[in-house]
Amino acid sequence: MFSKACEYGIRASMYIALQSLEGKRVSLKEIAEEIDSPVAFTAKILQQLSRNKIVDSVKGSAGGFQIEKEQIKKIKLSEIVYAIDGDNVYVGCGLGLKKCNANKPCPVHDKFVAIRDNLKNMLESASLQEMTEGLEVGTTYLKR
Amino acid sequence: MFSKACEYGIRASMYIALQSLEGKRVSLKEIAEEIDSPVAFTAKILQQLSRNKIVDSVKGSAGGFQIEKEQIKKIKLSEIVYAIDGDNVYVGCGLGLKKCNANKPCPVHDKFVAIRDNLKNMLESASLQEMTEGLEVGTTYLKR
DNA sequence: AGAAATTCGGATAAATTTATCCTGTTTATG
DNA sequence: CATAAACAGGATAAATTTATCCGAATTTCT
Ligand code: FES
Ligand code: FES
């Protein structure tokens, strides 16, 4: 569904959001530990997220990553996915034709579009804030 | 969503089904041309489909691939996907945790499961037969 | 029987994704 | 000001997926 990079990116954003809500800034090392991801690869992804203004990075000693509380409410999963995987989730054809195109549809087009729209709505409505709620009360997890 | 191999596999199966309904057996070369896929790679995928009894292959001159008419009615897209991509569509977690697990769910679990079930139902209900109907009348396409 | 058309399967190569390493820069702190 | 902690970014490596090549086996047709 999503690339590994994107999965790590989402999990990392969720963890940063969770800690930012408590006023804590977190280091790359801590993030990678808490979401069970490879450190250096996660660094690359966080750079992307930082460039895309999804997370704030602070250099230097006592630096790390954080997300402003206002942003945590506003940022939707769709923005994270877009920053890392681009728009292929939205424009891709289920059977791999160049782009999904209703004028020359593949045989699964109608059914696939329904599923994709479903996914799209989910991603566009789910905020980081919403995602952290289960983490706070311990009903959802970022690693096992 | 699906691997390239799987996309080619689905498109190839659809083309073979389309021709089989007219009593025609088709060669690898023709298939690859008609679905716009790399010949040798498509050969590998057809081998897999053949081993999984999704298509019949006939060796030798005038050989090629075909699917029995009875089978065209019965075979669902889910079987093709399973033969090539395995069950990761069904058991995978949206955020990349080892396996989707309702007992220790990731933050998107509930929403993701809904989408996945949607996809699953689609794949399990769509038969090759149904897929060929649009191709026959020219309202759907396997390449552009 | 011989030639041609075709799939099968193993080996290999190219491309992409995932992951690591290392050096440089920034910044808090003592 | 020196040091240590931390991110940034380029180069590189490993793993996986995608793709190609080629010889062998099978079958039809002349
Ligand atoms: S054309 Fe294939 S999904 Fe729209
Ligand atoms: S645990 Fe992540 S989708 Fe079910």
Side-chain angles (χ1 to χ4, degrees):
Chain A
M1 186 75 88
F2 307 124
S3 67
K4 272 290 173 206
C6 192
E7 292 172 352
Y8 295 147
I10 296 172
R11 303 222 302 272
S13 300
M14 287 176 178
Y15 181 71
I16 297 168
L18 179 68
Q19 296 304 318
S20 290
L21 286 175
E22 316 233 304
K24 292 179 193 157
R25 181 184 294 162
V26 287
S27 71
L28 165 64
K29 191 164 158 257
E30 177 180 344
I31 295 168
E33 259 160 28
E34 294 299 324
I35 69 172
D36 193 25
S37 67
V39 178
F41 190 43
T42 305
K44 296 292 186 217
I45 298 159
L46 287 169
Q47 279 178 44
Q48 274 189 274
L49 293 177
S50 175
R51 285 191 214 104
N52 283 278
K53 314 279 186 206
I54 289 170
V55 305
D56 299 326
S57 78
V58 180
K59 287 186 194 172
S61 184
F65 298 89
Q66 62 192 27
I67 309 177
E68 285 171 22
K69 287 183 185 173
E70 276 313 301
Q71 284 295 297
I72 294 175
K73 286 185 198 149
K74 288 184 196 158
I75 296 171
K76 301 296 192 291
L77 292 194
S78 57
E79 298 171 59
I80 301 173
V81 172
Y82 187 80
I84 299 179
D85 279 354
D87 62 2
N88 45 20
V89 176
Y90 301 126
V91 306
C93 162
L95 295 190
L97 305 193
K98 296 298 174 192
K99 279 191 179 180
C100 175
N101 177 351
N103 294 326
K104 264 202 156 187
C106 73
V108 302
H109 177 81
D110 289 352
K111 296 180 178 198
F112 187 77
V113 166
I115 290 163
R116 194 179 58 194
D117 285 353
N118 198 335
L119 175 63
K120 189 177 173 185
N121 288 338
M122 186 274 259
L123 294 176
E124 287 178 350
S125 66
S127 67
L128 271 183
Q129 170 90 24
E130 184 187 345
M131 294 296 111
T132 60
E133 285 160 13
L135 294 170
E136 277 169 352
V137 299
T139 56
T140 62
Y141 304 81
L142 290 174
K143 69 168 177 181
R144 285 198 216 103
Chain B
M1 188 76 86
F2 307 124
S3 68
K4 272 290 173 204
C6 192
E7 291 172 352
Y8 295 146
I10 296 173
R11 302 220 303 272
S13 300
M14 288 176 178
Y15 182 71
I16 297 167
L18 179 67
Q19 296 304 318
S20 291
L21 286 175
E22 316 233 305
K24 293 179 194 157
R25 180 183 293 161
V26 288
S27 71
L28 165 64
K29 191 165 158 255
E30 178 181 344
I31 295 168
E33 258 161 29
E34 294 298 324
I35 70 173
D36 193 24
S37 67
V39 179
F41 191 42
T42 306
K44 296 293 185 216
I45 297 159
L46 287 170
Q47 279 178 43
Q48 273 190 274
L49 294 178
S50 176
R51 283 193 215 105
N52 283 278
K53 316 277 186 207
I54 289 170
V55 305
D56 299 326
S57 77
V58 180
K59 289 186 194 174
S61 184
F65 298 88
Q66 63 192 28
I67 308 178
E68 284 169 23
K69 287 183 184 172
E70 276 311 303
Q71 284 297 297
I72 295 175
K73 286 184 200 150
K74 288 183 196 158
I75 296 172
K76 301 294 191 292
L77 293 194
S78 57
E79 298 171 59
I80 302 173
V81 171
Y82 187 81
I84 300 179
D85 279 353
D87 62 1
N88 45 20
V89 176
Y90 301 127
V91 306
C93 162
L95 296 191
L97 304 192
K98 297 297 171 191
K99 279 190 178 178
C100 176
N101 177 351
N103 294 325
K104 263 202 156 186
C106 74
V108 302
H109 177 80
D110 289 352
K111 296 181 178 196
F112 187 77
V113 166
I115 290 163
R116 195 180 56 195
D117 285 353
N118 198 335
L119 175 62
K120 191 177 172 185
N121 289 337
M122 186 274 259
L123 293 176
E124 286 177 352
S125 66
S127 67
L128 271 183
Q129 171 91 20
E130 183 187 346
M131 293 297 111
T132 59
E133 284 160 14
L135 294 169
E136 277 168 353
V137 299
T139 55
T140 61
Y141 304 82
L142 290 174
K143 68 169 177 178
R144 289 200 213 98

